Amino acid sequence: MTTVLPVRRPGAAAALLPAGDERSTAGRRADRGHHVLGRTAPWLVRGVMGIAVLAFAFLAVGPHAFGYRTMTMLTGSMAPHIEPGDITVVTPLRVTDVTEGMVIAYHVPIGDRSLVTHRVVSVEHTPDGRVQVRTKGDANAAIDPWTAVLEGDTAYQVRAVIPELGSAVQLLRTPLVNQVLLYGAPTLLAGWVLLSIWRPTRNEPEDGRA
């Protein structure tokens, strides 16, 4: 018995899959998804790690290297210039250089001596060399009901405001997020390293064919 095998003529088009057969389309979609994931995942990990490094440098290293301090605004007394959850960057200046209009951070002279960030509305230099200030929150209707004596030789003036960063810092301090960062950051780093090692180069066929 003779078996006749069909031979495709040179240049002839390949037979199409029957209508409704989605194997080719599904395969292409899967390959495309893997390709996009392989391209995106390393950059996503790099972005997360980069943001974490920058935040650590700004909040932990910068104050020691450049002398500034960061504070989180907790109230709306300075809105709209400084909103609750914003981070303020303060730098030291001599107490004798404090003038009206500056926004400074200081401890109130009453109650629990909490830290407040308000605008200076008046400055008085006493005969014994002390500096007394009256302050007011931009959003408050009245001047603060106290006269504060700026102790020491250094005051802290607000130089910059970073919106909403304080809210993120507060979120990072919650127990749940701490646990996620504790275990998630090493996992992301390990995934980044593995993707870098196993990612095929441009000169190597991804399917292993020569």
Side-chain angles (χ1 to χ4, degrees):
M1 180 177 180
T2 303
T3 302
V4 179
L5 298 177
V7 178
R8 190 175 61 187
R9 297 190 307 274
L16 297 177
L17 293 173
D21 191 336
E22 297 182 354
R23 287 175 296 174
S24 178
T25 302
R28 286 197 299 270
R29 288 177 180 175
D31 291 342
R32 189 179 301 114
H34 292 156
H35 179 74
V36 171
L37 180 61
R39 294 271 186 177
T40 304
W43 289 105
L44 180 61
V45 173
R46 290 178 188 138
V48 171
M49 297 298 295
I51 292 173
V53 170
L54 290 176
F56 176 79
F58 173 70
L59 296 173
V61 179
H64 296 284
F66 302 103
Y68 65 81
R69 294 184 181 182
T70 59
M71 302 178 182
T72 303
M73 193 68 179
L74 301 178
T75 71
S77 62
M78 285 296 294
H81 180 58
I82 310 174
E83 298 284 356
D86 292 352
I87 284 282
T88 59
V89 180
V90 300
T91 57
L93 77 161
R94 293 184 301 176
V95 169
T96 53
D97 291 338
V98 174
T99 59
E100 295 180 13
M102 286 183 176
V103 178
I104 64 172
Y106 70 97
H107 292 278
V108 300
I110 61 174
D112 59 356
R113 297 182 60 84
S114 59
L115 190 68
V116 67
T117 300
H118 279 178
R119 191 178 302 278
V120 177
V121 296
S122 68
V123 181
E124 179 183 352
H125 296 265
T126 64
D128 58 0
R130 296 189 300 174
V131 178
Q132 297 179 341
V133 296
R134 298 293 304 275
T135 58
K136 175 182 177 297
D138 289 354
N140 295 342
I143 295 175
D144 296 328
W146 59 73
T147 298
V149 177
L150 300 181
E151 300 176 353
D153 299 326
T154 304
Y156 286 89
Q157 180 184 5
V158 175
R159 297 289 188 176
V161 178
I162 305 177
E164 298 299 332
L165 182 59
S167 299
V169 172
Q170 294 295 331
L171 178 63
L172 292 176
R173 292 175 179 170
T174 60
L176 176 60
V177 176
N178 276 333
Q179 291 298 317
V180 171
L181 292 177
L182 178 63
Y183 297 104
T187 301
L188 287 174
L189 181 59
W192 181 16
V193 172
L194 291 176
L195 286 172
S196 300
I197 294 174
W198 289 344
R199 183 175 55 192
T201 61
R202 293 174 180 267
N203 296 328
E204 296 178 356
E206 296 187 4
D207 57 3
R209 290 177 298 179

